[in-house]
Amino acid sequence: MTEAKAIKPPTLPDAQTVTAVTHHTDRLFSFRCTRPASLRFRSGEFVMIGLMGAPDPKTGKQKPLLRAYSIASPSWDEELEFYSIKVPDGPLTSRLQHIQPGDEIILRPKPVGTLVHDALLPGKRIWFFATGTGFAPFASLLREPQTYQDYEEVIITHTCREVGELAYGAQIIESLKTDELLNEVIGEGFWKKIKYYPTTTREESPKMGRITDLMRTGEAFRDLGVTPICPQNDRAMICGNLAFNLELKEMLESYGLVEGANSDPQTYVVEKAFLD
Ligand code: A2P
C-alpha cells in the first residue's frame, strides 16, 4: 500500500484527494480518499466517482467521466474507501487503476442505494450475498455497528472466479476481530455472530462452486450449520453481476422473501455491481 505524505487541498470542484491505493490482484484494487465535509451516507450506499475525461477535439472542453461506486468504508469513517475492478479497455478503470496518493478524483456527494438497513424489516439473520467487486457495500455494512445491533447472525457469502479475488473481503473480515469501535459498541466477541462463506468457481479452493448451486443442493446450509432461509427469520442483501443478482432474486423469492426498497421495507434487497 502507498500512502500520501501530505494531503494537498483539491483544486477541481467536487474533487477529493487519494490517500492510499492497494492493488490486490492484476484485476482488482482498492483506494482511500478524503471525505467531503458535506457527505453524509448510510452504510451500503453508492456515489458517482471518476476522473476528468480527455478534452473534446472540437471544443477543447473537458467533461468528467463518472461511474457509480459503492462506498466500501462505513458511515462513521473519516475517509472514504472504494473497491474496483481494472478493465484494460474500460473508459474509467483503465485510467483509475493508475491513481496514486496525492492524485485527485471527482466525487459527487449525493449517496443513494437500496442496500441499506432501512429497506429491510426486522429479522434474526442477515445474509450478504456478493460476487466479485459486489463485496464493496458489504465491506461497509460489516463495519457498521447497526448490522450487529439489528441481527443475531450475519452471514456473508462471496463467490469469485479465483482465490486471489477473495483476498480483499477476507482481510476486511479478519480485521473485524480487532475493530475498536465494534468491540466497544457491540461488545468483545461480537464477531462470533459472523459466518463467512467464500467460494471460487474457476480455481481450486477449500470450497468450490457458485453459491446459488451450493444453496440449491443444501450444501451451503449444511457447511454453515444453519437452517435454510425462511421469511420469518431471514433478511438478505444481494450485490453481484447481473446473472447472479437475477438468479438469487428468484431463489430468495422461492423461499418466500419479498423485495424491499427505502420507501417499502421488506425481506430482501438487491443492487447491481457497478462494472465499467
Ligand atoms: P462462474 O465462474 O461460474 O461464471 P464475474 O467475475 O464474471 O462477475 O463473476 C464473479 C463470480 O460470480 C464468478 O465466480 C461466477 O461464476 C459467479 N457467477 C456468475 N453468474 C452467476 C450466477 N448466475 N449465479 C451464481 N454465481 C454466478
Side-chain angles (χ1 to χ4, degrees), residues 7-273:
I7 298 168
K8 282 182 276 161
T11 51
L12 294 165
D14 277 349
Q16 297 301 320
T17 306
V18 175
T19 57
V21 182
T22 308
H23 293 272
H24 302 279
T25 69
D26 55 1
R27 286 180 68 218
L28 296 166
F29 71 112
S30 60
F31 61 94
R32 293 176 68 84
C33 69
T34 52
R35 175 172 176 170
S38 63
L39 178 64
R40 295 277 170 274
F41 69 96
R42 294 172 297 172
S43 294
E45 288 187 311
F46 66 85
V47 285
M48 303 299 290
I49 65 169
L51 297 169
M52 281 314 276
D56 183 295
K58 284 189 195 132
T59 61
K61 279 195 185 149
Q62 279 180 284
K63 272 203 257 165
L65 185 57
L66 302 172
R67 295 281 184 275
Y69 269 81
S70 291
I71 302 172
S73 45
S75 58
W76 50 263
D77 200 330
E78 53 187 46
E79 285 189 342
L80 296 173
E81 184 174 314
F82 297 96
Y83 182 46
S84 178
I85 196 160
K86 307 175 192 179
V87 181
D89 53 359
L92 179 62
T93 65
S94 62
R95 292 176 50 212
L96 195 64
Q97 65 179 290
H98 299 298
I99 52 168
Q100 302 274 347
D103 288 351
E104 287 181 10
I105 60 154
I106 300 165
L107 187 151
R108 300 272 189 253
K110 293 193 187 86
V112 280
T114 53
L115 299 187
V116 290
H117 285 304
D118 292 343
L120 293 175
L121 296 170
K124 286 199 176 132
R125 295 192 296 204
I126 178 109
W127 293 76
F128 294 146
F129 293 105
T131 65
T133 54
F135 189 87
F138 305 133
S140 175
L141 284 155
L142 284 164
R143 292 184 272 186
E144 170 60 58
Q146 192 187 347
T147 300
Y148 307 95
Q149 282 161 342
D150 286 3
Y151 295 98
E152 290 168 19
E153 254 184 313
V154 178
I155 304 171
I156 164 87
T157 82
H158 193 193
T159 299
C160 290
R161 295 180 189 194
E162 295 166 12
V163 177
E165 296 172 277
L166 294 168
Y168 174 74
Q171 279 163 23
I172 298 271
I173 287 161
E174 189 55 33
S175 75
L176 294 173
K177 291 183 186 166
T178 53
D179 187 296
E180 278 180 33
L181 181 79
L182 291 172
N183 275 300
E184 198 184 308
V185 176
I186 312 299
E188 279 183 30
F190 81 91
W191 52 269
K192 290 183 192 146
K193 288 187 170 201
I194 303 168
K195 286 192 155 79
Y196 173 44
Y197 197 65
T199 78
T200 58
T201 50
R202 301 193 196 185
E203 190 185 2
E204 198 73 37
S205 77
K207 182 50 67 176
M208 296 205 52
R210 293 176 164 195
I211 186 64
T212 41
D213 295 336
L214 293 163
M215 281 165 64
R216 212 171 275 120
T217 60
E219 191 174 332
F221 303 118
R222 284 194 295 277
D223 289 341
L224 286 161
V226 300
T227 50
I229 294 177
C230 73
Q232 288 73 36
N233 291 340
D234 293 285
R235 304 295 172 256
M237 296 193 185
I238 310 174
C239 190
N241 69 51
L242 192 59
F244 167 76
N245 289 354
L246 292 174
E247 197 175 321
L248 195 53
K249 203 169 135 70
E250 222 168 85
M251 281 184 79
L252 294 182
E253 288 181 6
S254 75
Y255 295 133
L257 269 55
V258 175
E259 185 168 2
N262 277 279
S263 55
D264 178 26
Q266 292 291 342
T267 44
Y268 85 90
V269 280
V270 60
E271 196 96 82
K272 63 185 188 319

